[in-house]
Amino acid sequence: MSLNNSSNIFLDSVPSNTNRFQVNVINENHESSAAANDNTDPPHYEETSFGDEAQKRLRISFRPGNQECYDNFFQSGETAKTDASFHAYDSHTNTYYLQTFGHNTMDAVPKIEYYRNTGSISGPKVNRPSLLEIHEQLAKNVAVTPSSADRVANGDGIPGDEQAENKEDNQAGVVKFGWVKGVLVRCMLNIWGVMLFIRLSWIVGEAGIGLGVLIILLSTMVTSITGLSTSAIATNGFVRGGGAYYLISRSLGPEFGGSIGLIFAFANAVAVAMYVVGFAETVVDLLKESDSMMVDPTNDIRIIGSITVVILLGISVAGMEWEAKAQVILLVILLIAIANFFIGTVIPSNNEKKSRGFFNYQASIFAENFGPRFTKGEGFFSVFAIFFPAATGILAGANISGDLEDPQDAIPRGTMLAIFITTVVYLGVAICVGACVVRDATGNMNDTIISGMNCNGSAACGLGYDFSRCRHEPCQYGLMNNFQVMSMVSGFGPLITAGIFSATLSSALASLVSAPKVFQALCKDNIYKALQFFAKGYGKNNEPLRGYILTFLIAMAFILIAELNTIAPIISNFFLASYALINFSCFHASYAKSPGWRPAYGIYNMWVSLFGAVLCCAVMFVINWWAAVITYVIEFFLYVYVTYKKPDVNWGSSTQALSYVSALDNALELTTVEDHVKNFRPQCIVLTGGPMTRPALLDITHAFTKNSGLCICCEVFVGPRKLCVKEMNGGMAKKQAWLIKNKIKAFYAAVAADCFRDGVRSLLQASGLGRMKPNTLVIGYKKNWRKAPLTETENYVGIIHDAFDFEIGVVIVRISQGFDISQVLQVQEELERLEQERLALEATIKDNECEEESGGIRGLFKKAGKLNITKTTPKKDGSINTIQSMHVGEFNQKLVEASTQFKKKQEKGTIDVWWLFDDGGLTLLIPYILTLRKKWKDCKLRIYVGGKINRIEEEKIAMASLLSKFRIKFADIHIIGDINIKPNKESDFLMGSNKKGLQIIMKN
């Protein structure tokens, strides 16, 4: 469809070629009005498809004679657009009025505010005006005030301009980061850890260059797949703060998100201690070399670690801006240290470095170190398990998603680029160190080869050094023995030490920021109600200061332990569990095929994401099997806890989407299966009206449909269609919520009709889906059938006949007190309202005690007016006291008790089944199902059937034989020989319990 937005087209009041789809902007200035007056013929439009009644209601002729009326209508306030540059699709102003199909319309144009979730931090959700509101507004032939016009044009809520102003005010002073400083820098610093400087050389020595590169690439494959999945999820809608927790919870729901969010935040908090202890160990090694120990190595680690974490906490609490500056400084130091290593590899080696195994780039060393040479107890997977934690840290940028300017752009770009850069550096360092340094060296400059000595064929031997004794006794240098190889190879050793400091401190700082941010997001969602205290934020950036303190205490506790070798595998597995769930989230969202799954980042594949999830789980067991088991046990426990608590959240997760797809597939599959008598179950449509108005009728029906059949509570709204539809739509969600709250497994359905019978007829025909259609109608007994108007009684009987016409069984339920408790509910609502007013009045009196002393009772009336208390205080108090003094029994205590009788456990007794005529077994099946319920299990079936007086025993034996074939347990069988005699008045039920006065009449 082409669209010309030129001003000539939209300002032309008389189109040259009008058609049904002509859309013109009404230019409301006085010049155009004068011009319009010159044109005596109004524009002619093709008639629309609206009916005659709609034409009369909506048709507003735009003739010069009543131009002034429309000027008043549209030009009140700022509702006119006089600029010729008005854009046809200017959706950010309140001045958008079109002339469509020859009518003036105030329908709303597309705006982002209409598509926000309720409670969105981006701004309040604005409701589009309904068609009814637009019709009613256009039908008014009066001038509209600016506020009402704006409300109809923009929907209920804050106008768009005010929203923009409020948003700008709220954003003033907030620190937001771009993709470089916010994601790239953080991810690179977290991925480049101490492993780069003190373990990578040992890994190359053990696995060789070939397998070492394979280990790096395998680790990168895991992180890259996770990065792609993270990017896809992050670009599928707005991303709030919370990082991995937010991505998982909004994709898989609160059960998975709540379980992984807690352990992920804890893992980041403990990771602070791990990195700080690594930094402290390096400092303690330097103190040992200079003989400057304070106490002993263990306590020195505790002292230095405690001081370090306090400093890091101060940087974090100072604000994200200071923390970001510190990260940039640490990255610069780290890059200098890495560059220093590569420069050192080309600086000619001296005799001291040669004796320690460094000979610059040599082809013989590269060839010798290419293959593996695992020492005792080591293998490919054990070496991989040691290296893999170095590749983690890819979520450092996503964890502060709430502090990013554009998370949807920053997270994919920053994360994937960080993975690429760090992988290249890891590969470069591994290949370079493997081509320059031999595996074993003595460090003795005298171990040179003298002419005439036999060479053992090693690369060092060919370069003039004999390190053959390292085969028989341990040596201190070389790739296999010296963790400070990079410091030795570098051009300036102290820079490598600075790089180690930078790597550990930057990782600790990133974890110290990530843990509180993730934890705050988890607490804000109120999944764990006991943690709500930590949801509060402070300052413009909503800093989680309470979370910072908690993270600090956790880190300090583990620093004081000073031995983290045991906890380290568990922490690594916690991170891997998060990666696995992110990958599974991407797969699950794609597999559910929800229309809402539209990631802007298209470089992903659902099956690759699933492979990544499986790979992460496998790596967890490779690193440490018992740590993986502990991780799964903790996650399962938290999952069960959150599932049991059922947090009241709705995030549109892929779990919901897949549930819908599964239900739809099952319903469609069910239609291909023919009905069988073995699988027959009562599927009931219950005429309760509002489900809360006849709870006893719903309870008895639910007793034999719960977990076994369909139950639909139905209500028919009779009256003017507009009012009925409005009332019906307004109560749908509320009444379905009442069913859920009361744990009743039933649906609510309602129709609007001209009469009650027509509505029920519509429900009987249209309710249900496929095979899940009602086969039984449950209604209450009409007590007032003698006094009711004839039409009501005819409708009631007609409904029963309609059900039979549609081949639907009928169950009529009767209790002595009746089912309808709507009057009781009205009294309860009135009591609640009056109680609220009384409490408000008491608060007003208490707040105005001082004002009464100075200004008399005038202040009280003034305050009461604000509270909408229209009656005088003495009268209101009197009415409250009168209502409160009334006993509940005055509102029919028996009716209240009767409405709850089927919620209680039924006493021992019998359920009398009067199976007088064959109805297909429905009369027998429903009582049998009742006896299977816990509340009815003490009730036994007593069967009454008709028969001949002279054949009572034979009839009883025949019925017992029939019931045994049906496998129906019963207590007794009674043969009614006088079935043709008129019943006595005492016979008040056909099937039921004498004590409860329950009567159920069934016919199929």
Side-chain angles (χ1 to χ4, degrees):
M1 182 182 68
S2 61
L3 179 64
N4 192 336
N5 286 343
S6 66
S7 59
N8 293 332
I9 292 294
F10 286 96
L11 293 177
D12 187 5
S13 59
V14 183
S16 58
N17 184 18
T18 58
N19 55 62
R20 180 171 181 173
F21 302 101
Q22 185 69 36
V23 177
N24 286 341
V25 172
I26 301 175
N27 197 343
E28 304 295 344
N29 57 20
H30 294 289
E31 295 178 2
S32 63
S33 299
N37 288 332
D38 295 336
N39 187 1
T40 57
D41 294 328
H44 299 285
Y45 296 92
E46 183 179 339
E47 293 298 325
T48 67
S49 58
F50 294 136
D52 294 338
E53 180 182 354
Q55 290 280 359
K56 293 177 182 178
R57 184 175 72 249
L58 293 178
R59 183 70 178 180
I60 302 178
S61 60
F62 199 92
R63 298 183 181 277
N66 56 9
Q67 173 75 36
E68 183 178 356
C69 174
Y70 293 96
D71 288 340
N72 293 332
F73 182 87
F74 288 107
Q75 294 185 358
S76 300
E78 297 180 357
T79 58
K81 196 77 172 178
T82 59
D83 189 0
S85 63
F86 177 78
H87 195 280
Y89 290 92
D90 182 7
S91 61
H92 301 287
T93 65
N94 304 330
T95 60
Y96 188 67
Y97 298 105
L98 297 181
Q99 190 176 26
T100 309
F101 310 150
H103 299 293
N104 296 324
T105 179
M106 295 197 308
D107 206 348
V109 295
K111 296 174 70 173
I112 187 62
E113 288 80 3
Y114 297 138
Y115 299 92
R116 288 198 179 108
N117 291 327
T118 304
S120 172
I121 63 171
S122 303
K125 183 181 186 297
V126 180
N127 295 322
R128 290 182 296 274
S130 67
L131 192 60
L132 178 63
E133 291 175 324
I134 296 173
H135 286 180
E136 290 176 348
Q137 189 65 36
L138 291 176
K140 296 178 181 178
N141 194 19
V142 295
V144 183
T145 60
S147 59
S148 61
D150 291 343
R151 180 179 60 80
V152 177
N154 294 287
D156 295 331
I158 303 174
D161 294 339
E162 294 181 13
Q163 291 179 24
E165 292 175 3
N166 293 339
K167 188 174 180 180
E168 290 176 2
D169 293 341
N170 294 334
Q171 294 294 328
V174 176
V175 178
K176 295 290 185 180
F177 303 109
W179 70 276
V180 175
K181 189 183 290 188
V183 181
L184 180 64
V185 171
R186 294 174 186 278
C187 289
M188 288 172 61
L189 285 171
N190 239 27
I191 296 173
W192 282 333
V194 292
M195 194 70 66
L196 176 66
F197 296 101
I198 63 177
R199 285 292 185 274
L200 189 56
S201 58
W202 176 85
I203 289 171
V204 174
E206 289 281 347
I209 297 174
L211 290 183
V213 169
L214 182 62
I215 288 172
I216 295 172
L217 292 178
L218 183 60
S219 302
T220 302
M221 181 173 65
V222 175
T223 55
S224 297
I225 294 174
T226 306
L228 293 174
S229 300
T230 303
S231 301
I233 299 173
T235 56
N236 188 55
F238 182 77
V239 180
R240 288 177 56 187
Y245 159 72
Y246 184 86
L247 299 178
I248 294 172
S249 62
R250 268 52 177 183
S251 296
L252 293 178
E255 294 82 9
F256 283 103
S259 58
I260 202 64
L262 197 60
I263 66 175
F264 186 72
F266 177 77
N268 274 282
V270 178
V272 176
M274 291 176 57
Y275 294 128
V276 169
V277 168
F279 167 78
E281 287 178 348
T282 306
V283 175
V284 169
D285 289 340
L286 294 176
L287 293 177
K288 284 181 182 179
E289 293 179 3
S290 60
D291 197 18
S292 302
M293 297 291 293
M294 290 179 284
V295 185
D296 57 68
T298 302
N299 286 315
D300 282 3
I301 290 174
R302 291 170 178 165
I303 294 170
I304 296 171
S306 300
I307 296 172
T308 303
V309 78
V310 168
I311 295 173
L312 294 177
L313 177 66
I315 295 174
S316 301
V317 173
M320 290 295 295
E321 191 172 6
W322 286 95
E323 186 266 348
K325 291 178 180 178
Q327 293 280 30
V328 172
I329 294 172
L330 293 173
L331 178 62
V332 171
I333 296 173
L334 193 58
L335 291 175
I336 293 174
I338 294 173
N340 176 51
F341 164 76
F342 286 110
I343 293 172
T345 59
V346 296
I347 298 176
S349 177
N350 54 33
N351 291 332
E352 182 181 1
K353 289 186 177 181
K354 287 181 179 180
S355 66
R356 297 182 178 183
F358 174 53
F359 295 94
N360 295 110
Y361 292 105
Q362 301 291 336
S364 58
I365 296 178
F366 181 88
E368 185 180 73
N369 290 339
F370 188 82
R373 201 179 84 185
F374 295 112
T375 56
K376 186 178 181 180
E378 300 294 347
F380 177 81
F381 289 109
S382 64
V383 175
F384 173 80
I386 292 173
F387 173 79
F388 184 81
T392 59
I394 61 172
L395 297 179
N399 287 338
I400 63 162
S401 54
D403 296 298
L404 300 175
E405 288 180 358
D406 185 6
Q408 294 179 325
D409 176 68
I411 292 176
R413 292 176 65 183
T415 303
M416 298 310 298
L417 185 58
I419 293 174
F420 174 76
I421 294 174
T422 53
T423 301
V424 170
V425 171
Y426 271 125
L427 291 174
V429 171
I431 294 172
C432 289
V433 77
C436 296
V437 184
V438 296
R439 282 190 166 103
D440 295 302
T442 59
N444 189 348
M445 291 185 290
N446 295 324
D447 287 341
T448 56
I449 295 178
I450 304 173
S451 57
M453 291 182 60
N454 292 327
C455 184
N456 59 8
S458 66
C461 184
L463 296 171
Y465 280 83
D466 181 17
F467 299 141
S468 58
R469 63 189 174 110
C470 291
R471 297 180 178 179
H472 311 291
E473 59 184 50
C475 294
Q476 296 182 355
Y477 298 97
L479 296 176
M480 306 281 284
N481 311 303
N482 183 15
F483 290 153
Q484 301 297 329
V485 167
M486 287 192 67
S487 180
M488 176 191 68
V489 172
S490 65
F492 184 61
L495 281 179
I496 299 298
T497 303
I500 295 174
F501 288 170
S502 174
T504 52
L505 293 177
S506 62
S507 299
L509 192 58
S511 298
L512 185 58
V513 171
S514 298
K517 295 283 186 182
V518 173
F519 193 59
Q520 183 188 35
L522 176 66
C523 296
K524 277 185 176 180
D525 289 334
N526 203 23
I527 293 179
Y528 303 100
K529 296 187 182 298
L531 303 178
Q532 183 66 22
F533 173 78
F534 296 98
K536 183 175 176 57
Y538 297 87
K540 288 287 186 180
N541 273 65
N542 198 29
E543 294 291 345
L545 297 184
R546 295 175 179 178
Y548 280 128
I549 300 300
L550 180 63
T551 304
F552 169 76
L553 294 176
I554 294 174
M556 282 293 294
F558 283 95
I559 287 171
L560 294 178
I561 295 174
E563 290 292 337
L564 296 178
N565 292 335
T566 302
I567 198 71
I570 300 179
I571 301 306
S572 297
N573 275 277
F574 281 0
F575 285 121
L576 274 169
S578 303
Y579 296 169
L581 278 181
I582 288 176
N583 285 309
F584 184 72
S585 298
C586 184
F587 162 76
H588 200 267
S590 302
Y591 185 74
K593 298 178 182 177
S594 172
W597 173 248
R598 302 185 302 272
Y601 190 84
I603 309 175
Y604 75 96
N605 181 273
M606 58 182 289
W607 300 111
V608 172
S609 296
L610 179 62
F611 173 72
V614 175
L615 196 59
C616 287
C617 295
V619 171
M620 290 173 66
F621 283 95
V622 168
I623 291 178
N624 193 298
W625 69 268
W626 58 262
V629 172
I630 291 175
T631 302
Y632 284 124
V633 169
I634 294 174
E635 188 174 341
F636 177 76
F637 172 77
L638 293 174
Y639 177 87
V640 172
Y641 174 81
V642 176
T643 304
Y644 175 75
K645 289 296 183 181
K646 293 183 180 178
D648 186 18
V649 294
N650 183 10
W651 294 325
S653 64
S654 59
T655 305
Q656 296 172 345
L658 194 61
S659 298
Y660 174 83
V661 172
S662 300
L664 184 62
D665 290 342
N666 291 334
L668 290 172
E669 186 177 354
L670 197 60
T671 59
T672 63
V673 180
E674 293 293 333
D675 289 332
H676 194 279
V677 66
K678 288 183 180 180
N679 294 323
F680 177 86
R681 59 194 67 210
Q683 302 194 114
C684 299
I685 183 168
V686 195
L687 299 185
T688 58
M692 63 282 292
T693 60
R694 292 176 177 82
L697 180 62
L698 180 57
D699 289 337
I700 188 64
T701 307
H702 189 243
F704 56 80
T705 60
K706 182 181 179 182
N707 298 328
S708 64
L710 178 69
C711 181
I712 306 177
C713 303
C714 295
E715 184 172 8
V716 179
F717 290 86
V718 179
R721 184 174 178 275
K722 271 189 180 181
L723 296 177
C724 289
V725 170
K726 188 173 183 180
E727 183 182 359
M728 179 180 68
N729 293 338
M732 280 282 192
K734 179 182 176 182
K735 291 168 183 176
Q736 184 65 51
W738 185 90
L739 293 171
I740 296 172
K741 181 181 179 182
N742 288 271
K743 299 181 180 179
I744 297 175
K745 297 182 178 181
F747 300 95
Y748 173 76
V751 294
D754 295 331
C755 70
F756 183 71
R757 184 179 179 182
D758 289 343
V760 175
R761 189 184 291 119
S762 299
L763 289 168
L764 291 174
Q765 295 179 85
S767 296
L769 181 69
R771 296 289 183 191
M772 295 184 294
K773 292 182 69 69
N775 54 28
T776 306
L777 171 66
V778 181
I779 57 176
Y781 179 76
K782 189 171 182 62
K783 293 177 61 178
N784 63 340
W785 65 274
R786 293 180 183 272
K787 300 179 181 179
L790 182 61
T791 54
E792 287 189 12
T793 307
E794 287 179 348
N795 281 337
Y796 183 83
V797 177
I799 289 170
I800 298 174
H801 284 281
D802 291 338
F804 293 151
D805 291 341
F806 298 137
E807 298 183 350
I808 292 177
V810 178
V811 176
I812 303 175
V813 188
R814 178 182 182 183
I815 58 177
S816 58
Q817 299 298 325
F819 292 106
D820 192 356
I821 63 168
S822 55
Q823 292 183 352
V824 177
L825 296 177
Q826 290 176 4
V827 172
Q828 289 178 349
E829 291 177 0
E830 180 68 14
L831 283 171
E832 292 176 1
R833 186 183 65 82
L834 293 175
E835 179 65 16
Q836 291 177 358
E837 289 186 0
R838 185 184 67 81
L839 294 175
L841 186 59
E842 288 180 356
T844 303
I845 296 173
K846 186 176 180 180
D847 293 340
N848 289 275
E849 286 179 351
C850 297
E851 188 175 348
E852 288 179 20
E853 294 178 0
S854 58
I857 200 68
R858 184 182 305 168
L860 175 60
F861 283 113
K862 186 176 181 181
K863 187 71 174 179
K866 295 179 180 178
L867 293 169
N868 294 325
I869 301 175
T870 57
K871 296 183 180 181
T872 59
T873 303
K875 289 183 179 180
K876 181 60 68 177
D877 287 338
S879 66
I880 293 173
N881 293 332
T882 302
I883 295 293
Q884 286 182 333
S885 63
M886 292 181 181
H887 195 271
V888 182
E890 298 181 21
F891 301 108
N892 200 334
Q893 174 68 14
K894 292 183 179 180
L895 181 60
V896 174
E897 291 179 355
S899 67
T900 60
Q901 62 179 305
F902 301 122
K903 294 182 182 293
K904 305 172 185 176
K905 182 176 176 60
Q906 305 301 306
E907 300 175 1
K908 286 187 178 181
T910 60
I911 300 177
D912 296 342
V913 183
W914 292 71
W915 199 15
L916 303 180
F917 301 99
D918 196 328
D919 61 345
L922 184 64
T923 305
L924 196 62
L925 179 63
I926 289 180
Y928 168 74
I929 295 175
L930 281 177
T931 61
L932 301 178
R933 308 305 182 191
K934 290 183 179 179
K935 294 176 182 178
W936 295 81
K937 67 177 182 180
D938 294 331
C939 299
K940 306 300 181 182
L941 295 185
R942 189 164 56 182
I943 312 299
Y944 289 82
V945 295
K948 297 180 180 179
I949 297 177
N950 58 353
R951 297 194 61 218
I952 290 181
E953 292 300 324
E954 290 83 350
E955 296 283 357
K956 186 180 291 188
I957 293 173
M959 180 54 60
S961 175
L962 181 61
L963 293 176
S964 65
K965 291 180 180 179
F966 290 159
R967 301 173 301 282
I968 300 292
K969 296 180 180 179
F970 58 91
D972 197 3
I973 297 176
H974 290 267
I975 305 298
I976 309 300
D978 55 351
I979 191 172
N980 294 322
I981 300 175
K982 185 177 180 180
N984 299 324
K985 293 183 178 180
E986 292 77 12
S987 302
D988 61 348
F989 63 91
L990 295 180
M991 172 212 147
S993 168
N994 290 327
K995 290 185 178 180
K996 300 299 181 183
L998 171 67
Q999 180 180 359
I1000 304 180
I1001 308 169
M1002 287 171 284
K1003 181 66 178 174
N1004 195 13

